[in-house]
Amino acid sequence: MTRADLKVVIPRRDPDERGYFGEFGGRYVPETLVEPVEELERAYFAARDDERFRSELDRLLRDYVGRPTPLYEATRLAEASGGARIFLKREDLTHTGAHKINNALGQALLACRMGKRRIVAETGAGQHGVATATACALLGLECHVYMGAEDMARQALNVFRMRLLGADVCRVDAGSRTLKDAINEAMRDWVTNVADTYYLLGSVLGPHPYPLMVREFQSVIGREAREQIVGHTGRLPDAIVACVGGGSNAIGIFDRFIDDREVRLIGVEAGGEKIARGRHAARFAGGSAGVLQGTRTFVLQDEDGNIELTHSISAGLDYAAVGPEHAWLRSVGRSEYAYVSDAAALQAFQTLARLEGILPALESAHAVAHAQSVARQLGRSAIVLVNLSGRGDKDVQTVEKNLANSSSLPR
């Protein structure tokens, strides 16, 4: 059997009954949320086995979101990189412009099934907020999105988009005024209004069953990409590269390649300005095992367990923890993680724009930057698959500001 014939049925990789992937995961919640989280787990397991639920989600992903998204060979990018063929999984072409809509629609349908008509969510880069507001508008749900003041300033376009869609965007001024603080406030809201409120978490984070549930809603990316890359090339890729904030786009594309040990799975974190406290968000480069916001995973924290400040030019990667399944995959040697600096991400943003006519999200630009290095290392006979998780319209002002005094500013 050749690699072109490889179309396997991947068994479900559920965490154990306590919600752990190995030593990572679990359910660390206040007593008031124990029953709501258990209710959510029961509802999700029932829904994923319900053919009507799956069919309705598949219909919306096809007719509303625009799936399947294309797989595009970036020949000019590959030529400039001097190595492997590079393929882009175009999640930037979904309705709302990022992979976040896959999960938002799935959870919004689940909320309707549970009779919850009020939705709370958090957002960093704004794409999950936009996706949630979009799903709520479609399904007639009340929507409240918590967003750090710092992120609201650098993602003003997405703030306006959410408000146009009917969402109440709740400014968070606590802490670092970024994603971590937005999650804190969203969880406080959920605790206070648990009877009628559903918390629509945006990444593979939080207490069980969220990491599992979000991964399964995002696994559509990997299902499509596996079939598409074999169709294009006759074989599986040598490496898959995706950016990792919480890690939902990465786990989504990794999911259908986990058992293919010859395929390298590479997550790319935010190296920020440098690997020093408060100046990056590379959890595997500077973190340690700990608990944050409902789950045990790798966290940026000091010796006393206090959560460190983070920095990234990309709001969606600017978070102190990573999804527990990523921590587990790394611990068993199945995935590897690198980091890319702000400067390298900015350069990759411009490179992809000028060579392929595609403006990537700054989050995705981290993956593009590292994919170029991987392509050079692997050589011309290899294939690299990159998850282009979102489009860069939201980041144009940030890029302009950061390039204002640079000779590389577009003219």
Side-chain angles (χ1 to χ4, degrees):
M1 180 179 291
T2 68
R3 293 178 79 182
D5 298 318
L6 292 176
K7 290 186 71 173
V8 300
V9 177
I10 307 294
R12 285 175 174 161
R13 297 185 320 282
D14 287 357
D16 67 20
E17 65 278 2
R18 300 175 304 140
Y20 279 88
F21 300 92
E23 63 180 292
F24 300 104
R27 182 180 288 162
Y28 296 82
V29 295
E31 186 175 352
T32 52
L33 283 181
V34 170
E35 173 52 31
V37 169
E38 291 178 348
E39 177 194 17
L40 175 61
E41 180 183 21
R42 292 190 297 270
Y44 174 65
F45 284 142
R48 76 172 185 177
D49 290 331
D50 185 336
E51 180 60 33
R52 290 174 301 176
F53 178 87
R54 297 198 306 271
S55 294
E56 177 62 6
L57 178 57
D58 288 346
R59 181 187 70 81
L60 288 173
L61 290 174
R62 181 188 68 241
D63 299 339
Y64 188 70
V65 173
R67 306 206 70 89
T69 57
L71 190 72
Y72 168 70
E73 183 169 8
T75 55
R76 296 192 70 215
L77 178 67
E79 182 181 355
S81 302
R85 298 171 71 182
I86 299 176
F87 288 82
L88 307 178
K89 179 59 172 163
R90 297 294 304 276
E91 291 301 291
D92 59 313
L93 295 181
T94 62
H95 178 46
T96 74
H99 71 291
K100 294 293 188 180
I101 190 68
N102 306 322
N103 168 60
L105 270 178
Q107 288 199 59
L109 286 175
L110 182 61
C112 291
R113 181 185 175 100
M114 296 174 68
K116 309 280 187 177
R117 307 299 300 180
R118 181 177 183 272
I119 304 297
V120 296
E122 83 299 325
T123 196
Q127 287 303 121
H128 174 60
V130 169
T132 300
T134 299
C136 288
L138 175 68
L139 300 174
L141 302 173
E142 181 183 342
C143 182
H144 303 267
V145 179
Y146 287 87
M147 191 171 189
E150 173 71 17
D151 291 338
M152 289 182 72
R154 57 182 170 174
Q155 298 292 334
L157 174 61
N158 275 344
V159 172
F160 188 57
R161 291 173 73 194
M162 285 183 269
R163 287 173 172 157
L164 284 173
L165 291 160
D168 173 27
V169 183
C170 309
R171 175 187 173 111
V172 178
D173 287 301
S176 61
R177 310 192 306 166
T178 57
L179 181 58
K180 172 179 67 69
D181 313 290
I183 293 175
N184 282 339
E185 293 304 316
M187 293 190 78
R188 287 192 185 100
D189 186 317
W190 188 27
V191 169
T192 304
N193 302 288
V194 72
D196 68 344
T197 295
Y198 182 98
Y199 179 24
L200 204 160
L201 183 59
S203 195
V204 284
L205 299 163
H208 175 68
Y210 281 109
L212 167 65
M213 181 167 61
V214 177
R215 180 250 281 171
E216 293 202 333
F217 286 138
Q218 293 293 2
S219 66
V220 64
I221 305 171
R223 290 198 301 273
E224 291 176 3
R226 184 188 179 92
E227 182 175 348
Q228 289 168 327
I229 196 69
V230 171
H232 275 77
T233 69
R235 67 180 183 91
L236 297 178
D238 297 278
I240 299 174
V241 183
C243 65
V244 177
S248 65
N249 92 89
I251 211 72
I253 197 167
F254 290 175
D255 186 66
R256 285 305 181 264
F257 298 88
I258 295 291
D259 289 348
D260 302 296
R261 294 285 173 163
E262 69 273 34
V263 179
R264 290 172 63 188
L265 305 178
I266 307 171
V268 185
E269 299 185 284
E273 297 166 345
K274 62 184 295 187
I275 303 301
R277 283 184 175 175
R279 301 180 71 179
H280 71 100
R283 287 65 50 102
F284 293 123
S288 57
V291 174
L292 180 62
Q293 294 174 326
T295 193
R296 185 175 191 274
T297 185
F298 250 66
V299 182
L300 289 172
Q301 58 188 340
D302 65 20
E303 294 81 0
D304 298 317
N306 300 307
I307 303 304
E308 295 178 354
L309 294 176
T310 57
H311 164 77
S312 173
I313 193 172
S314 56
L317 304 186
D318 195 358
Y319 183 61
V322 67
E325 189 170 5
H326 283 290
W328 173 69
L329 288 171
R330 177 178 177 269
S331 73
V332 298
R334 182 60 192 97
S335 58
E336 55 192 277
Y337 297 84
Y339 59 85
V340 160
S341 69
D342 288 349
L346 276 170
Q347 184 58 54
F349 183 101
Q350 296 173 86
T351 297
L352 194 63
R354 293 174 178 180
L355 294 182
E356 299 289 353
I358 299 170
L359 296 179
L362 279 171
E363 291 79 15
S364 310
H366 285 71
V368 172
H370 191 65
Q372 291 182 273
S373 298
V374 172
R376 284 192 293 272
Q377 294 165 8
L378 292 180
R380 295 187 181 275
S381 64
I383 295 170
V384 176
L385 172 59
V386 183
N387 196 18
L388 199 72
S389 58
R391 65 175 177 240
D393 308 51
K394 68 184 179 62
D395 293 317
V396 168
Q397 289 182 321
T398 298
V399 171
E400 182 181 27
K401 177 181 176 181
N402 280 272
L403 295 177
N405 298 315
S406 169
S407 60
S408 60
L409 181 66
R411 292 178 173 83

